[in-house]
Amino acid sequence: MADLIPVTVLTGYLGAGKTTLLNRILTEQHGKKYAVIINEFGELGVDNDLVVDTDEEVFEMNNGCICCTVRGDLIRIVNGLMKRADKFDGIIVETTGLANPAPVAQTFFVDEDVKAKTRLDAIVTVVDARHFLARLEDSPEAADQVAFADVIVLNKLDLVSPEELAKVEARIRSINRFAQIHHATRGDVAIEKLLGLNAFDLQRVLESVPDFLDEDSEHTHNEHLTSISLECAAPLDAEKFQAWVGHILQTQGANLLRTKGILAYKNEDRRFAFQAVHMIADGDFIGPWKEGEKRTSRIVFIGRDLNRPQLRRGFESCAA
């Protein structure tokens, strides 16, 4: 067991704070090196740019459910990494916010090559304390992610009252009574509580999900959710963008689970990262555009009843 590479699966619903937590892990001074595999839902990759510039290796798997189309990619990347396993201490797989973590975890048991070289260390699920109870009503994935967790990071505590927090925690316990729960505001959990835990217990999982190792078991998605990815080659006017996106979030926020983008503002050499969950938005500059890099603005909306032509026209109208 000692020479197997530990794998941590980082999961959690759209906007719960997975990328923030991942960035914390990658920037902490823990003296270890991790290979990171990111899976996104949508044609355009944005998460790769939201991950801080580190000397870690980041591999991106796009457009898909990690459990359907992408499992072959996951196996291929892990096998490639194993050829130079001496170069890093562990692997972190960040799943799309719409993934049921079961098929991801399954990969490390059903593929013989992967199984011979890696061990699933833990499934870490990030939960958004503010939106979790609403998500349970409309998204089976939110409950699946909690059910499979070995560790739960109960995030965004600054947005809920103690009474609301108690309700959320009680619901989590009703779904999974074994997981360790850590409280956090912006993913501020000590690294040793997340990595190198040896916490994944296959027996416990098989007791609650007997068909866990059955590769053909039923797998459905929340069919009403769509991902719309837009690009604009012209630099954006910051004020126009803020006004437009503010209006979109105010009028359609209930249907927008997640909005994220990397933006090129006029007369600005730094990339601007924009993120929102429903109507709560956040944004900041995240370092300079690289030498020779094409300064294209990209934004991704994930939600229900989205109007692509209308969103595209609005985004393009933000050009300076």
Side-chain angles (χ1 to χ4, degrees), residues 14 18-19 22-23 38-41 44-52 58 60 62 94-97 258 260-262 275 286 298 300 302:
L14 295 163
K18 294 186 296 300
T19 304
L22 180 59
N23 282 338
I38 295 175
N39 173 224
E40 295 203 54
F41 179 74
L44 284 179
V46 168
D47 282 359
N48 204 356
D49 290 302
L50 294 174
V51 174
V52 287
V58 177
E60 195 172 25
N62 256 34
E94 183 193 352
T95 70
T96 153
R258 189 78 168 104
K260 53 191 174 180
I262 301 290
Q275 305 197 52
I286 56 163
R298 290 168 297 156
V300 177
I302 299 174

Side-chain angles (χ1 to χ4, degrees), residues 133-149:
L133 297 178
R135 286 292 71 77
L136 286 180
E137 301 301 317
D138 58 17
S139 304
E141 292 88 357
D144 291 339
Q145 289 164 355
V146 166
F148 272 95

Side-chain angles (χ1 to χ4, degrees), residues 1-309:
M1 283 292 276
D3 52 350
L4 296 181
I5 295 278
V7 178
T8 303
V9 175
L10 183 58
T11 182
Y13 207 72
L14 295 163
K18 294 186 296 300
T19 304
T20 304
L21 182 65
L22 180 59
N23 282 338
R24 276 185 55 80
I25 293 170
L26 297 183
T27 51
E28 289 265 314
Q29 296 303 310
H30 43 57
K32 287 187 161 37
K33 191 161 170 61
Y34 292 94
V36 179
I37 302 172
I38 295 175
N39 173 224
E40 295 203 54
F41 179 74
E43 314 97 89
L44 284 179
V46 168
D47 282 359
N48 204 356
D49 290 302
L50 294 174
V51 174
V52 287
D53 287 327
T54 64
D55 53 1
E56 317 290 341
E57 295 198 54
V58 177
F59 299 87
E60 195 172 25
M61 299 188 294
N62 256 34
N63 208 8
C65 157
I66 199 166
C67 18
C68 308
T69 54
V70 189
R71 182 183 274 162
D73 271 6
L74 183 58
I75 291 169
R76 184 178 49 72
I77 291 172
V78 170
N79 278 325
L81 286 172
M82 288 302 110
K83 293 188 173 69
R84 35 200 189 80
D86 55 324
K87 299 277 192 292
F88 52 89
D89 301 290
I91 299 172
I92 300 170
V93 182
E94 183 193 352
T95 70
T96 153
L98 293 168
N100 173 337
V104 186
Q106 211 181 41
T107 306
F108 295 93
F109 294 95
V110 297
D111 183 85
E112 290 306 321
D113 288 345
V114 169
K115 189 170 143 186
K117 295 164 190 159
T118 63
R119 66 174 174 80
L120 188 54
D121 184 69
I123 295 178
V124 177
T125 299
V126 186
V127 171
D128 176 342
R130 169 92 182 258
H131 294 108
F132 179 65
L133 297 178
R135 286 292 71 77
L136 286 180
E137 301 301 317
D138 58 17
S139 304
E141 292 88 357
D144 291 339
Q145 289 164 355
V146 166
F148 272 95
D150 302 299
V151 176
I152 289 169
V153 176
L154 188 45
N155 203 22
K156 305 194 183 182
L157 293 202
D158 52 328
L159 301 180
V160 294
S161 67
E163 296 74 33
E164 289 170 313
L165 177 62
K167 273 186 196 160
V168 171
E169 212 154 332
R171 263 325 277 285
I172 289 172
R173 279 287 169 241
S174 72
I175 298 168
N176 181 337
R177 64 182 201 277
F178 297 104
Q180 301 168 26
I181 297 179
H182 301 302
H183 290 173
T185 297
R186 288 184 77 88
D188 45 355
V189 177
I191 302 304
E192 60 271 15
K193 293 179 175 174
L194 304 172
L195 303 176
L197 305 177
N198 212 351
F200 186 83
D201 181 350
L202 182 60
Q203 271 332 104
R204 174 172 80 70
V205 171
L206 287 171
E207 280 164 26
S208 54
V209 189
D211 62 356
F212 172 67
L213 295 179
D214 174 8
E215 288 182 84
D216 302 316
S217 59
E218 230 2 71
H219 173 62
T220 58
H221 286 285
N222 198 325
E223 260 69 36
H224 312 297
L225 291 181
T226 52
S227 164
I228 292 179
S229 308
L230 305 170
E231 279 188 279
C232 182
L236 302 185
D237 179 300
E239 284 184 18
K240 280 187 190 172
F241 174 77
Q242 296 295 347
W244 170 72
V245 85
H247 175 72
I248 293 290
L249 297 180
Q250 285 305 314
T251 54
Q252 300 178 44
N255 283 332
L256 278 169
L257 293 171
R258 189 78 168 104
T259 308
K260 53 191 174 180
I262 301 290
L263 310 174
Y265 285 152
K266 190 180 180 188
N267 301 329
E268 176 55 71
D269 289 329
R270 294 171 297 169
R271 297 176 298 160
F272 189 85
F274 177 83
Q275 305 197 52
V277 179
H278 292 302
M279 296 168 193
I280 301 172
D282 188 18
D284 207 352
F285 289 103
I286 56 163
W289 291 93
K290 294 187 176 71
E291 191 69 41
E293 184 180 6
K294 217 165 114 191
R295 299 189 180 191
T296 302
S297 296
R298 290 168 297 156
I299 193 164
V300 177
F301 297 92
I302 299 174
R304 297 181 189 82
D305 307 323
L306 303 181
N307 182 326
R308 181 187 282 270

